[in-house]
Amino acid sequence: SQKIEQNSEALNIQEGKTATLTCNYTNYSPAYLQWYRQDPGRGPVFLLLIRENEKEKRKERLKVTFDTTLKQSLFHITASQPADSATYLCALVREGKLIFGQGTELSVKP
Amino acid sequence: DTAVSQTPKYLVTQMGNDKSIKCEQNLGHDTMYWYKQDSKKFLKIMFSYNNKELIINETVPNRFSPKSPDKAHLNLHINSLELGDSAVYFCASSQDGDSGRGQFFGPGTRLTVL
């Protein structure tokens, strides 16, 4: 069955550093992969989508890479700020459904 | 301007009761979804409707029945509630085929079954 895994441990970094979150998947080759941000008590918010033929996508301080050979996506936040603290979810699409990872909690300390 | 709204935000009820959660989106999207997020934070799809037609029906007990009166609304009715139904339920919407703009989620309904 399809598995999608993210760093289960929380990631703690210092303000100004680059945060890197990992998403690994098995048993499937998705046409695209999405990243979402979720704050406590709120619904996920869409951040970025990257397609299988794209190696990298950027949006302001965010960068996503997609390596279909490694079956891995990396999500980077450069010049991180305390306001970036949240849980980040990756999701791949399979048969018209989004399958989510369990999320990685990021904490950026001032 | 709320894009995807859900009511109620909190729902506390006894085992065996029947309850409904309502969802509305004002984005003009064709597709709406219900997700369940359990205590371990896994977000799992339950149902998907496209233009009022059911297109995804995951392995969900038939005590759960979605209803879409029009493409802007997708309600979730749950019969004979059980302890294991306690979770946060999210409604979401998207354009057809998830056109690259992702899915838009509501604020969630935290259901607690006692």
Side-chain angles (χ1 to χ4, degrees):
Chain A
S1 64
Q2 181 59 54
K3 277 188 92 173
I4 181 166
E5 289 183 354
Q6 298 183 244
N7 320 54
S8 55
E9 291 179 14
L11 182 62
N12 297 304
I13 65 165
Q14 205 65 34
E15 183 175 8
K17 302 289 186 190
T18 296
T20 299
L21 285 66
T22 305
C23 177
N24 295 300
Y25 58 93
T26 60
N27 298 338
Y28 186 64
S29 295
Y32 57 80
L33 195 143
Q34 300 183 5
W35 282 88
Y36 288 78
R37 169 184 172 141
Q38 186 173 21
D39 290 281
R42 296 182 169 240
V45 174
F46 172 71
L47 296 174
L48 280 168
L49 176 149
I50 186 164
R51 300 185 189 279
E52 61 181 338
N53 60 350
E54 296 173 319
K55 289 264 190 287
E56 182 180 298
K57 199 98 172 254
R58 289 176 188 260
K59 180 182 172 183
E60 296 170 359
R61 293 184 297 111
L62 308 180
K63 183 178 91 170
V64 173
T65 63
F66 194 6
D67 188 326
T68 55
T69 304
L70 289 178
K71 293 189 184 294
Q72 182 181 78
S73 176
L74 297 178
F75 177 82
H76 306 272
I77 306 175
T78 56
S80 59
Q81 303 166 1
D84 295 326
S85 298
T87 296
Y88 291 85
L89 306 165
C90 71
L92 56 82
V93 67
R94 180 170 189 177
E95 296 167 359
K97 294 178 283 194
L98 270 188
I99 300 171
F100 282 86
Q102 77 273 35
T104 298
E105 189 178 338
L106 172 67
S107 178
V108 181
K109 304 292 184 194
Chain B
D1 289 348
T2 306
V4 182
S5 59
Q6 295 178 228
T7 52
K9 186 156 174 66
Y10 299 97
L11 190 48
V12 181
T13 189
Q14 299 287 331
M15 258 195 325
N17 283 350
D18 304 338
K19 289 293 177 188
S20 291
I21 308 172
K22 295 188 175 182
C23 178
E24 176 181 0
Q25 55 97 0
N26 63 5
L27 297 165
H29 287 165
D30 294 319
T31 309
M32 295 184 72
Y33 312 82
W34 276 110
Y35 286 87
K36 178 179 180 180
Q37 189 169 44
D38 61 25
S39 56
K40 292 183 181 175
K41 306 297 184 188
F42 271 104
L43 198 58
K44 286 189 181 173
I45 186 151
M46 300 172 69
F47 302 103
S48 169
Y49 271 72
N50 181 277
N51 275 317
K52 304 193 296 174
E53 298 291 326
L54 180 66
I55 55 170
I56 293 174
N57 185 351
E58 285 296 277
T59 310
V60 175
N62 57 16
R63 298 181 294 103
F64 290 78
S65 51
K67 278 212 172 69
S68 183
D70 56 61
K71 77 171 196 175
H73 295 84
L74 180 62
N75 304 322
L76 184 65
H77 189 76
I78 316 169
N79 287 329
S80 304
L81 279 155
E82 299 178 358
L83 293 176
D85 297 333
S86 296
V88 182
Y89 292 85
F90 287 100
C91 176
S93 73
S94 72
Q95 274 300 92
D96 249 352
D98 232 23
S99 58
R101 296 183 189 179
Q103 294 185 9
F104 288 74
F105 283 79
T109 295
R110 181 174 292 278
L111 171 65
T112 304
V113 182
L114 303 173

